């Protein structure tokens, strides 16, 4: 792990402290997890832009047609087969 140092306003430091105590974690862990989640969110937002710019090709979306097949067999008459 790499050490990262930055400044926060006093009110944000107090909020971090309150949330860390409330969640039963250290301040560093709370900040690390919050940053990780925010970066994941940023990546997903960027990913959606890429999907819009370059949608799936026909061969990549071929398996989606399977979802329209519905249930392969009718199993409802098997419900009393065990009794």
């Amino acid at each position: 792990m790499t050490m990262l140092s930055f400044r926060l306003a006093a009110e944000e430091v107090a909020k971090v402290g309150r949330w860390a105590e409330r969640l039963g974690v250290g301040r560093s862990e709370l900040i690390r997890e919050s940053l990780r989640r925010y970066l994941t969110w940023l990546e997903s937002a960027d990913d959606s832009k890429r999907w819009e710019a370059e949608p799936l090709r026909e061969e990549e979306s071929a398996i989606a047609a399977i979802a329209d097949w519905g249930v392969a067999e009718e199993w409802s008459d098997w419900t009393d087969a065990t009794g």
Side-chain angles (χ1 to χ4, degrees):
M1 241 187 253
T2 301
M3 178 77 140
L4 183 65
S5 178
F6 57 93
R7 297 182 187 276
L8 288 175
E11 61 194 34
E12 291 171 332
V13 172
K15 286 179 185 180
V16 168
R18 284 193 301 271
W19 276 106
E21 186 175 323
R22 184 174 174 182
L23 297 171
V25 298
R27 292 187 313 179
S28 291
E29 183 180 350
L30 177 67
I31 293 169
R32 255 192 322 273
E33 180 64 15
S34 298
L35 180 59
R36 184 191 66 76
R37 288 177 184 225
Y38 187 66
L39 291 173
T40 300
W41 178 81
L42 287 173
E43 287 291 326
S44 68
D46 191 48
D47 195 39
S48 68
K49 290 176 188 172
R50 282 187 297 230
W51 276 98
E52 290 172 2
E54 188 180 326
L56 288 175
R57 295 184 307 271
E58 186 177 337
E59 62 271 13
E60 293 173 313
S61 61
I63 197 161
I66 295 172
D68 297 332
W69 288 358
V71 179
E73 296 182 39
E74 177 59 51
W75 291 88
S76 62
D77 58 335
W78 286 56
T79 56
D80 56 338
T82 59

